[in-house]
Amino acid sequence: MKEENKQEGQGPFSNPVSAPSPNNLLVETLLKEMDSLKTQLTNTKQDYWMEIEAMKGNVTLLEREKQNLRSALYTMEIDFGERATRQRAEIDALLAENQAMKKRCMSMSTQGASQSSLLKYQLNSVIEEKLKEKLQGKAQVEHNRDHWERKFAVVGSRYKIDRLLYEEAMKKREKKEEAEMEEQRRKAELRESERKMPEMREQEMERDRAKKMKEEQEEAARRAREEDYQKQRDAEFAKEQARQATWKDATYAELYRCYTRDHRFISRRPWNNGIAFERFHDLMGEFEARTFLEQQPLMLENIPWPTLYPIFYHSISQSLVFGFRAENITWAEVEKFFSYVAMAYQVEYYNGLVERVHRIFHPDKWRSRRILDSVQDSDIRKSLESAGNIVAQAITPLWKKSKGRM
């Protein structure tokens, strides 16, 4: 016992340096369990096969006994048939002898009634005894046949019961073998899964690394796109700022040019309708010939508004401001202007001026020239477009009247 303990102490787990890995221990344990299961399965199979062989022997004996009973029954049936045939022949012979004796009795009737009665009685006694013996033999044969038939039925019932028990045992055995095979398959799959577990972990780690790398690449690409988009927005914003600054500079330069141009009209005091019409006439030619761009934008000051309203410039915070507003353009102001022209000039000139102004302020003309595209400020653009539409609407009835359409 001490030697065994000593040997156990010197086993593979006594030295921590040479201790096997958990995977090897698991494999050894699984192999031992597998060997134990194989041994149990072999013993169980042997027991089952012995039981099945014993049942097969019983079934064979029962079948042999059944065959013997069938042979005996067949022999009895043949023997019974032969005996019945012999008895029938004997009865026929007795009947024939009875008839012969009757004839003899009739022939001997002359010899006296007493002798005839005695013979007749003797004959009847002999016939009854013979018939009684035959009937007793037939009853015995039928009794024996019933006995063997009952025995054959019992053997047949036992055969059926043993056959059912045999089939039930076979079904149980098959189910148990299937369960054992399923258990073995499950354990084999478990062992295979445990064997593949390190590989699966490595694959999972590899997938995680690939996923992380892909996410990092996507994040870097997204940041690069955002940086490019931000740079593009900054460039567009800077471009727009430069464009706005250029437009503002061009607007102020145009305002100063208009101030220089209008100075000769403003300096003539007091303001009157003639000065207003003279300024309108000069601006009309300039407006028709000018190409409006962002560097030469459209402004309230360079449009020939048909109005007699006085204009002026003033300075606010060292900035030059035009005193005339788009709100000053009204339907009444336009009609007032053309009423003055109708009184001051001839009809031919008036009609030509109406035709010319109608063409200048027509919305389709403004769209074809794209003059409003040169205005960067949306509020200013809307106010100029609204004032231009008012002039076009107010002058249309005058234009139709000059053409004789009203």
Side-chain angles (χ1 to χ4, degrees), residues 268-328:
R268 294 162 60 184
R269 300 290 183 180
W271 183 268
N272 54 47
N273 294 341
I275 297 174
F277 180 78
E278 183 180 354
R279 178 180 178 278
F280 166 78
H281 189 274
D282 289 352
L283 263 68
M284 187 168 54
E286 178 185 301
F287 184 82
E288 289 176 325
R290 193 175 182 85
T291 300
F292 292 97
L293 303 171
E294 291 183 358
Q295 295 78 14
Q296 295 178 351
L298 179 71
M299 298 178 61
L300 184 69
E301 293 82 356
N302 56 20
I303 300 175
W305 302 109
T307 177
L308 301 176
Y309 196 87
I311 63 169
F312 59 91
Y313 292 83
H314 60 274
S315 177
I316 298 178
S317 301
Q318 297 181 356
S319 297
L320 190 64
V321 180
F322 188 44
F324 186 76
R325 293 287 180 268
E327 292 79 6
N328 300 133

Side-chain angles (χ1 to χ4, degrees), residues 139-371:
Q140 183 65 32
V141 171
E142 290 178 352
H143 175 73
N144 293 334
R145 186 182 65 180
D146 293 338
H147 171 72
W148 285 107
E149 284 181 352
R150 286 194 298 272
K151 192 172 183 180
F152 179 76
V154 171
V155 172
S157 300
R158 287 179 58 192
Y159 173 77
K160 290 180 180 179
I161 293 171
D162 291 342
R163 184 70 182 179
L164 291 174
L165 292 174
Y166 171 74
E167 292 177 354
E168 185 68 21
M170 288 298 293
K171 290 180 180 178
K172 289 182 179 179
R173 175 178 169 274
E174 291 176 355
K175 288 183 179 179
K176 188 170 183 180
E177 288 181 353
E178 289 178 358
E180 291 175 353
M181 291 178 65
E182 180 65 22
E183 182 66 18
Q184 290 180 1
R185 185 188 62 80
R186 188 186 64 79
K187 290 183 178 180
E189 291 179 353
L190 180 62
R191 290 193 297 272
E192 184 67 15
S193 300
E194 291 174 349
R195 186 184 66 81
K196 291 183 177 180
M197 191 62 69
E199 183 180 353
M200 293 173 65
R201 289 199 196 96
E202 184 64 27
Q203 292 176 357
E204 184 68 21
M205 293 174 62
E206 185 64 27
R207 284 195 295 269
D208 292 341
R209 286 193 295 269
K211 183 179 179 181
K212 186 176 180 181
M213 184 180 297
K214 184 178 179 181
E215 290 176 353
E216 291 176 353
Q217 292 175 355
E218 291 178 352
E219 180 66 19
R222 185 186 63 79
R223 290 178 180 176
R225 288 195 300 271
E226 289 181 354
E227 291 177 358
D228 294 340
Y229 178 71
Q230 188 63 36
K231 288 179 181 179
Q232 184 179 358
R233 287 190 61 185
D234 294 343
E236 291 177 354
F237 180 76
K239 184 179 179 180
E240 184 64 22
Q241 290 292 322
R243 182 183 176 190
Q244 291 288 338
T246 303
W247 175 77
K248 288 181 180 179
D249 294 341
T251 300
Y252 189 78
E254 182 64 16
L255 177 63
Y256 189 79
R257 185 191 70 79
C258 292
Y259 169 74
T260 304
R261 179 201 62 202
D262 292 338
H263 181 70
R264 62 188 181 90
F265 301 108
I266 299 172
S267 61
R268 294 162 60 184
R269 300 290 183 180
W271 183 268
N272 54 47
N273 294 341
I275 297 174
F277 180 78
E278 183 180 354
R279 178 180 178 278
F280 166 78
H281 189 274
D282 289 352
L283 263 68
M284 187 168 54
E286 178 185 301
F287 184 82
E288 289 176 325
R290 193 175 182 85
T291 300
F292 292 97
L293 303 171
E294 291 183 358
Q295 295 78 14
Q296 295 178 351
L298 179 71
M299 298 178 61
L300 184 69
E301 293 82 356
N302 56 20
I303 300 175
W305 302 109
T307 177
L308 301 176
Y309 196 87
I311 63 169
F312 59 91
Y313 292 83
H314 60 274
S315 177
I316 298 178
S317 301
Q318 297 181 356
S319 297
L320 190 64
V321 180
F322 188 44
F324 186 76
R325 293 287 180 268
E327 292 79 6
N328 300 133
I329 307 299
T330 63
W331 194 305
E333 284 292 329
V334 175
E335 290 180 342
K336 181 179 178 181
F337 175 83
F338 281 100
S339 296
Y340 166 75
V341 175
M343 291 186 298
Y345 296 93
Q346 297 180 357
V347 176
E348 292 79 3
Y349 181 80
Y350 170 80
N351 292 336
L353 182 65
V354 170
E355 176 72 22
R356 187 177 178 185
V357 174
H358 178 264
R359 184 173 60 253
I360 289 174
F361 284 93
H362 198 281
D364 293 341
K365 189 70 173 178
W366 280 36
R367 279 192 292 270
S368 64
R369 294 180 64 185
R370 304 183 64 173
I371 60 177

Side-chain angles (χ1 to χ4, degrees), residues 16-27:
V17 178
S18 62
S21 63
N23 289 332
N24 293 332
L25 290 175
L26 179 61
V27 171

Side-chain angles (χ1 to χ4, degrees), residues 73-97:
L73 183 59
Y74 179 70
T75 304
M76 288 175 64
E77 288 178 351
I78 293 174
D79 185 41
F80 177 75
E82 292 177 352
R83 288 183 182 182
T85 303
R86 288 195 302 270
Q87 288 177 359
R88 193 176 295 110
E90 291 176 358
I91 290 170
D92 291 338
L94 289 172
L95 290 174
E97 185 180 354

